[in-house]
Short mmCIF file of all heavy atoms in Angstrom, two decimals:
data_model
loop_
_atom_site.label_atom_id
_atom_site.label_comp_id
_atom_site.label_asym_id
_atom_site.label_seq_id
_atom_site.Cartn_x
_atom_site.Cartn_y
_atom_site.Cartn_z
N GLY A 1 113.87 -81.52 -50.17
CA GLY A 1 113.39 -80.35 -50.80
C GLY A 1 113.74 -80.24 -52.29
O GLY A 1 114.25 -81.23 -52.85
N HIS A 2 113.54 -79.11 -52.88
CA HIS A 2 113.89 -78.93 -54.28
C HIS A 2 113.94 -77.45 -54.60
O HIS A 2 113.47 -76.64 -53.77
CB HIS A 2 112.82 -79.61 -55.20
CG HIS A 2 111.42 -79.07 -55.04
ND1 HIS A 2 110.54 -79.54 -54.09
CD2 HIS A 2 110.72 -78.05 -55.66
CE1 HIS A 2 109.38 -78.85 -54.13
NE2 HIS A 2 109.53 -77.98 -55.07
N LEU A 3 114.42 -77.12 -55.75
CA LEU A 3 114.49 -75.70 -56.15
C LEU A 3 113.20 -75.44 -56.88
O LEU A 3 112.96 -76.02 -57.97
CB LEU A 3 115.65 -75.42 -57.06
CG LEU A 3 115.83 -74.05 -57.62
CD1 LEU A 3 115.97 -73.04 -56.51
CD2 LEU A 3 116.94 -73.98 -58.62
N PRO A 4 112.29 -74.62 -56.31
CA PRO A 4 111.03 -74.42 -56.93
C PRO A 4 111.17 -73.58 -58.23
O PRO A 4 111.89 -72.60 -58.26
CB PRO A 4 110.19 -73.70 -55.89
CG PRO A 4 111.24 -72.99 -55.02
CD PRO A 4 112.36 -73.92 -55.00
N LEU A 5 110.38 -73.90 -59.23
CA LEU A 5 110.29 -73.07 -60.43
C LEU A 5 109.63 -71.70 -60.02
O LEU A 5 108.81 -71.69 -59.05
CB LEU A 5 109.41 -73.83 -61.47
CG LEU A 5 110.00 -75.11 -62.03
CD1 LEU A 5 108.95 -75.78 -62.94
CD2 LEU A 5 111.33 -74.85 -62.79
N PRO A 6 109.95 -70.72 -60.72
CA PRO A 6 109.43 -69.34 -60.35
C PRO A 6 107.99 -69.14 -60.80
O PRO A 6 107.64 -68.26 -61.55
CB PRO A 6 110.34 -68.42 -61.08
CG PRO A 6 110.79 -69.21 -62.31
CD PRO A 6 110.91 -70.63 -61.87
N ALA A 7 107.08 -70.03 -60.37
CA ALA A 7 105.69 -69.92 -60.66
C ALA A 7 105.03 -68.68 -60.01
O ALA A 7 105.45 -68.36 -58.82
CB ALA A 7 104.94 -71.20 -60.23
N LYS A 8 104.15 -68.04 -60.66
CA LYS A 8 103.46 -66.93 -60.03
C LYS A 8 102.52 -67.44 -58.94
O LYS A 8 101.63 -68.29 -59.20
CB LYS A 8 102.67 -66.14 -61.06
CG LYS A 8 101.93 -64.91 -60.48
CD LYS A 8 101.25 -64.05 -61.60
CE LYS A 8 100.52 -62.89 -61.05
NZ LYS A 8 101.40 -62.00 -60.26
N ILE A 9 102.65 -66.90 -57.74
CA ILE A 9 101.83 -67.27 -56.62
C ILE A 9 100.81 -66.20 -56.40
O ILE A 9 101.10 -65.03 -56.16
CB ILE A 9 102.64 -67.51 -55.31
CG1 ILE A 9 103.77 -68.52 -55.60
CG2 ILE A 9 101.78 -67.89 -54.16
CD1 ILE A 9 103.28 -69.87 -56.00
N VAL A 10 99.48 -66.59 -56.36
CA VAL A 10 98.42 -65.64 -56.19
C VAL A 10 97.56 -66.24 -55.04
O VAL A 10 97.23 -67.40 -55.02
CB VAL A 10 97.51 -65.50 -57.49
CG1 VAL A 10 96.48 -64.40 -57.14
CG2 VAL A 10 98.35 -65.11 -58.69
N ILE A 11 97.34 -65.39 -54.02
CA ILE A 11 96.60 -65.79 -52.82
C ILE A 11 95.41 -64.81 -52.61
O ILE A 11 95.61 -63.59 -52.76
CB ILE A 11 97.52 -65.82 -51.59
CG1 ILE A 11 98.64 -66.86 -51.83
CG2 ILE A 11 96.73 -66.15 -50.33
CD1 ILE A 11 99.66 -66.88 -50.67
N GLU A 12 94.27 -65.35 -52.29
CA GLU A 12 93.13 -64.51 -52.00
C GLU A 12 92.39 -64.96 -50.81
O GLU A 12 91.93 -66.08 -50.69
CB GLU A 12 92.20 -64.59 -53.24
CG GLU A 12 90.92 -63.62 -53.14
CD GLU A 12 90.02 -63.81 -54.27
OE1 GLU A 12 89.23 -64.83 -54.30
OE2 GLU A 12 89.93 -62.95 -55.12
N VAL A 13 92.31 -64.04 -49.87
CA VAL A 13 91.54 -64.28 -48.69
C VAL A 13 90.07 -64.20 -48.94
O VAL A 13 89.60 -63.31 -49.60
CB VAL A 13 91.93 -63.30 -47.54
CG1 VAL A 13 91.14 -63.54 -46.25
CG2 VAL A 13 93.46 -63.33 -47.26
N GLN A 14 89.33 -65.25 -48.43
CA GLN A 14 87.86 -65.33 -48.66
C GLN A 14 87.07 -64.73 -47.47
O GLN A 14 87.66 -64.33 -46.46
CB GLN A 14 87.46 -66.76 -48.92
CG GLN A 14 88.34 -67.44 -49.95
CD GLN A 14 88.28 -66.79 -51.30
OE1 GLN A 14 87.19 -66.62 -51.84
NE2 GLN A 14 89.37 -66.40 -51.84
N ASP A 15 85.81 -64.69 -47.59
CA ASP A 15 84.93 -64.12 -46.56
C ASP A 15 84.98 -64.94 -45.29
O ASP A 15 84.99 -66.18 -45.30
CB ASP A 15 83.50 -64.08 -47.09
CG ASP A 15 83.30 -63.00 -48.15
OD1 ASP A 15 84.05 -62.03 -48.17
OD2 ASP A 15 82.40 -63.16 -49.01
N LEU A 16 84.95 -64.24 -44.16
CA LEU A 16 84.95 -64.82 -42.87
C LEU A 16 83.73 -65.67 -42.55
O LEU A 16 82.63 -65.24 -42.96
CB LEU A 16 85.16 -63.68 -41.83
CG LEU A 16 85.19 -64.03 -40.38
CD1 LEU A 16 86.16 -63.12 -39.57
CD2 LEU A 16 83.79 -63.82 -39.76
N ILE A 17 83.92 -66.71 -41.80
CA ILE A 17 82.80 -67.47 -41.28
C ILE A 17 82.79 -67.26 -39.79
O ILE A 17 83.72 -67.58 -39.05
CB ILE A 17 82.95 -69.04 -41.62
CG1 ILE A 17 83.07 -69.26 -43.06
CG2 ILE A 17 81.84 -69.87 -41.00
CD1 ILE A 17 83.42 -70.72 -43.45
N GLU A 18 81.70 -66.62 -39.32
CA GLU A 18 81.60 -66.20 -37.93
C GLU A 18 81.67 -67.34 -36.91
O GLU A 18 81.25 -68.48 -37.20
CB GLU A 18 80.35 -65.48 -37.69
CG GLU A 18 80.16 -64.15 -38.51
CD GLU A 18 81.00 -63.04 -37.96
OE1 GLU A 18 81.64 -63.22 -36.89
OE2 GLU A 18 80.99 -61.90 -38.57
N SER A 19 82.22 -67.00 -35.76
CA SER A 19 82.35 -68.10 -34.70
C SER A 19 81.02 -68.58 -34.26
O SER A 19 80.84 -69.72 -33.89
CB SER A 19 83.17 -67.48 -33.50
OG SER A 19 82.55 -66.34 -33.00
N GLY A 20 79.97 -67.66 -34.24
CA GLY A 20 78.67 -68.09 -33.81
C GLY A 20 78.08 -69.16 -34.77
O GLY A 20 77.42 -70.11 -34.34
N GLU A 21 78.32 -68.97 -36.04
CA GLU A 21 77.84 -69.95 -37.07
C GLU A 21 78.55 -71.24 -36.88
O GLU A 21 77.95 -72.34 -36.98
CB GLU A 21 78.08 -69.39 -38.45
CG GLU A 21 77.61 -70.36 -39.56
CD GLU A 21 77.86 -69.76 -40.98
OE1 GLU A 21 78.21 -68.67 -41.10
OE2 GLU A 21 77.64 -70.61 -41.88
N ILE A 22 79.84 -71.20 -36.55
CA ILE A 22 80.60 -72.43 -36.29
C ILE A 22 80.15 -73.14 -35.09
O ILE A 22 80.01 -74.42 -35.04
CB ILE A 22 82.09 -72.11 -36.21
CG1 ILE A 22 82.59 -71.48 -37.55
CG2 ILE A 22 82.92 -73.33 -35.85
CD1 ILE A 22 83.96 -70.89 -37.44
N ALA A 23 79.90 -72.37 -34.02
CA ALA A 23 79.40 -72.97 -32.71
C ALA A 23 78.10 -73.66 -32.86
O ALA A 23 77.84 -74.71 -32.28
CB ALA A 23 79.38 -71.97 -31.67
N GLY A 24 77.18 -73.11 -33.66
CA GLY A 24 75.81 -73.61 -33.75
C GLY A 24 75.59 -74.49 -34.95
O GLY A 24 74.50 -75.08 -35.06
N GLY A 25 76.58 -74.62 -35.84
CA GLY A 25 76.36 -75.35 -37.06
C GLY A 25 76.89 -76.77 -37.03
O GLY A 25 77.69 -77.13 -36.12
N ASP A 26 76.45 -77.59 -37.98
CA ASP A 26 76.96 -78.96 -38.04
C ASP A 26 78.41 -78.91 -38.68
O ASP A 26 78.72 -78.20 -39.54
CB ASP A 26 76.06 -79.74 -39.02
CG ASP A 26 76.42 -81.19 -39.20
OD1 ASP A 26 76.13 -81.99 -38.32
OD2 ASP A 26 77.08 -81.49 -40.21
N ILE A 27 79.22 -79.77 -38.13
CA ILE A 27 80.65 -79.77 -38.53
C ILE A 27 80.74 -80.06 -40.06
O ILE A 27 81.54 -79.42 -40.72
CB ILE A 27 81.47 -80.82 -37.69
CG1 ILE A 27 81.67 -80.28 -36.28
CG2 ILE A 27 82.77 -81.18 -38.36
CD1 ILE A 27 82.39 -81.27 -35.34
N ASP A 28 79.96 -81.01 -40.53
CA ASP A 28 80.05 -81.30 -41.98
C ASP A 28 79.59 -80.15 -42.82
O ASP A 28 80.18 -79.91 -43.87
CB ASP A 28 79.19 -82.55 -42.30
CG ASP A 28 79.72 -83.82 -41.74
OD1 ASP A 28 80.95 -83.89 -41.53
OD2 ASP A 28 78.94 -84.81 -41.53
N VAL A 29 78.58 -79.45 -42.31
CA VAL A 29 78.09 -78.26 -43.13
C VAL A 29 79.11 -77.17 -43.14
O VAL A 29 79.39 -76.56 -44.20
CB VAL A 29 76.82 -77.74 -42.51
CG1 VAL A 29 76.36 -76.44 -43.19
CG2 VAL A 29 75.67 -78.81 -42.65
N ILE A 30 79.75 -76.90 -42.03
CA ILE A 30 80.83 -75.86 -41.99
C ILE A 30 82.01 -76.30 -42.76
O ILE A 30 82.58 -75.49 -43.58
CB ILE A 30 81.29 -75.60 -40.49
CG1 ILE A 30 80.14 -75.18 -39.64
CG2 ILE A 30 82.41 -74.62 -40.47
CD1 ILE A 30 79.51 -73.85 -40.07
N HIS A 31 82.40 -77.54 -42.71
CA HIS A 31 83.50 -78.07 -43.53
C HIS A 31 83.18 -77.94 -45.05
O HIS A 31 84.05 -77.45 -45.80
CB HIS A 31 83.70 -79.58 -43.21
CG HIS A 31 84.61 -80.24 -44.15
ND1 HIS A 31 85.97 -80.02 -44.19
CD2 HIS A 31 84.43 -81.23 -45.08
CE1 HIS A 31 86.56 -80.77 -45.09
NE2 HIS A 31 85.64 -81.53 -45.63
N ASP A 32 81.96 -78.27 -45.45
CA ASP A 32 81.61 -78.11 -46.84
C ASP A 32 81.61 -76.59 -47.28
O ASP A 32 81.99 -76.26 -48.41
CB ASP A 32 80.19 -78.73 -47.08
CG ASP A 32 80.20 -80.20 -47.01
OD1 ASP A 32 81.25 -80.84 -47.07
OD2 ASP A 32 79.09 -80.78 -46.89
N LYS A 33 81.22 -75.71 -46.32
CA LYS A 33 81.22 -74.29 -46.67
C LYS A 33 82.63 -73.80 -46.90
O LYS A 33 82.94 -72.97 -47.79
CB LYS A 33 80.55 -73.51 -45.57
CG LYS A 33 80.39 -72.08 -45.83
CD LYS A 33 79.58 -71.33 -44.81
CE LYS A 33 79.41 -69.88 -45.16
NZ LYS A 33 78.43 -69.17 -44.21
N VAL A 34 83.52 -74.28 -46.01
CA VAL A 34 84.97 -73.87 -46.15
C VAL A 34 85.53 -74.31 -47.49
O VAL A 34 86.22 -73.63 -48.25
CB VAL A 34 85.81 -74.42 -45.01
CG1 VAL A 34 87.32 -74.18 -45.25
CG2 VAL A 34 85.45 -73.76 -43.72
N LEU A 35 85.24 -75.67 -47.81
CA LEU A 35 85.72 -76.23 -49.05
C LEU A 35 85.17 -75.49 -50.31
O LEU A 35 85.92 -75.11 -51.24
CB LEU A 35 85.37 -77.72 -49.21
CG LEU A 35 86.21 -78.66 -48.29
CD1 LEU A 35 85.70 -80.09 -48.62
CD2 LEU A 35 87.69 -78.56 -48.50
N ALA A 36 83.89 -75.18 -50.23
CA ALA A 36 83.20 -74.42 -51.32
C ALA A 36 83.85 -73.04 -51.50
O ALA A 36 84.05 -72.55 -52.59
CB ALA A 36 81.77 -74.33 -51.08
N SER A 37 84.11 -72.39 -50.39
CA SER A 37 84.74 -71.06 -50.43
C SER A 37 86.13 -71.13 -51.01
O SER A 37 86.49 -70.28 -51.90
CB SER A 37 84.77 -70.46 -48.98
OG SER A 37 85.42 -69.18 -49.03
N LEU A 38 86.90 -72.08 -50.52
CA LEU A 38 88.27 -72.22 -51.13
C LEU A 38 88.23 -72.58 -52.64
O LEU A 38 88.99 -72.01 -53.40
CB LEU A 38 89.04 -73.29 -50.35
CG LEU A 38 89.50 -72.83 -48.97
CD1 LEU A 38 90.10 -74.04 -48.18
CD2 LEU A 38 90.53 -71.72 -49.07
N GLN A 39 87.38 -73.57 -52.98
CA GLN A 39 87.32 -73.97 -54.35
C GLN A 39 86.83 -72.82 -55.26
O GLN A 39 87.34 -72.69 -56.35
CB GLN A 39 86.40 -75.17 -54.49
CG GLN A 39 86.50 -75.85 -55.88
CD GLN A 39 87.90 -76.45 -56.11
OE1 GLN A 39 88.37 -77.37 -55.52
NE2 GLN A 39 88.58 -75.85 -57.13
N GLY A 40 85.89 -72.09 -54.75
CA GLY A 40 85.41 -70.98 -55.59
C GLY A 40 86.50 -69.91 -55.77
O GLY A 40 86.71 -69.40 -56.85
N GLY A 41 87.31 -69.68 -54.68
CA GLY A 41 88.44 -68.76 -54.86
C GLY A 41 89.48 -69.25 -55.79
O GLY A 41 90.04 -68.51 -56.63
N VAL A 42 89.84 -70.59 -55.66
CA VAL A 42 90.84 -71.13 -56.57
C VAL A 42 90.37 -71.09 -58.01
O VAL A 42 91.13 -70.74 -58.94
CB VAL A 42 91.13 -72.58 -56.13
CG1 VAL A 42 91.94 -73.35 -57.20
CG2 VAL A 42 91.92 -72.63 -54.83
N ASP A 43 89.09 -71.39 -58.22
CA ASP A 43 88.54 -71.40 -59.63
C ASP A 43 88.59 -69.98 -60.18
O ASP A 43 88.96 -69.84 -61.35
CB ASP A 43 87.10 -71.90 -59.58
CG ASP A 43 86.98 -73.39 -59.34
OD1 ASP A 43 88.04 -74.06 -59.42
OD2 ASP A 43 85.90 -73.80 -59.01
N ARG A 44 88.31 -68.96 -59.40
CA ARG A 44 88.38 -67.59 -59.89
C ARG A 44 89.82 -67.21 -60.28
O ARG A 44 90.04 -66.60 -61.30
CB ARG A 44 87.84 -66.59 -58.87
CG ARG A 44 86.34 -66.59 -58.76
CD ARG A 44 85.87 -65.36 -57.96
NE ARG A 44 86.41 -65.35 -56.56
CZ ARG A 44 85.88 -66.01 -55.55
NH1 ARG A 44 84.79 -66.80 -55.74
NH2 ARG A 44 86.41 -65.99 -54.37
#
């Protein structure tokens, strides 16, 4: 481990992806949607 620098930590929960969409969707498409959601949040 290490002693972490006191960087400001900001966390933002993104919009939910419904279980029905996950059940009926393509795995790659859902994966890309999650990545896009996270990257969009990180960029903001």
Side-chain angles (χ1 to χ4, degrees):
H2 61 274
L3 178 63
L5 296 173
K8 181 174 177 61
I9 304 300
V10 185
I11 298 175
E12 183 184 75
V13 179
Q14 308 301 303
D15 290 334
L16 175 145
I17 302 173
E18 297 283 358
S19 58
E21 180 180 353
I22 297 169
D26 181 83
I27 287 178
D28 289 338
V29 172
I30 300 299
H31 171 68
D32 289 343
K33 184 172 183 177
V34 171
L35 287 183
S37 176
L38 286 172
Q39 190 64 67
V42 167
D43 290 344
R44 284 192 301 275

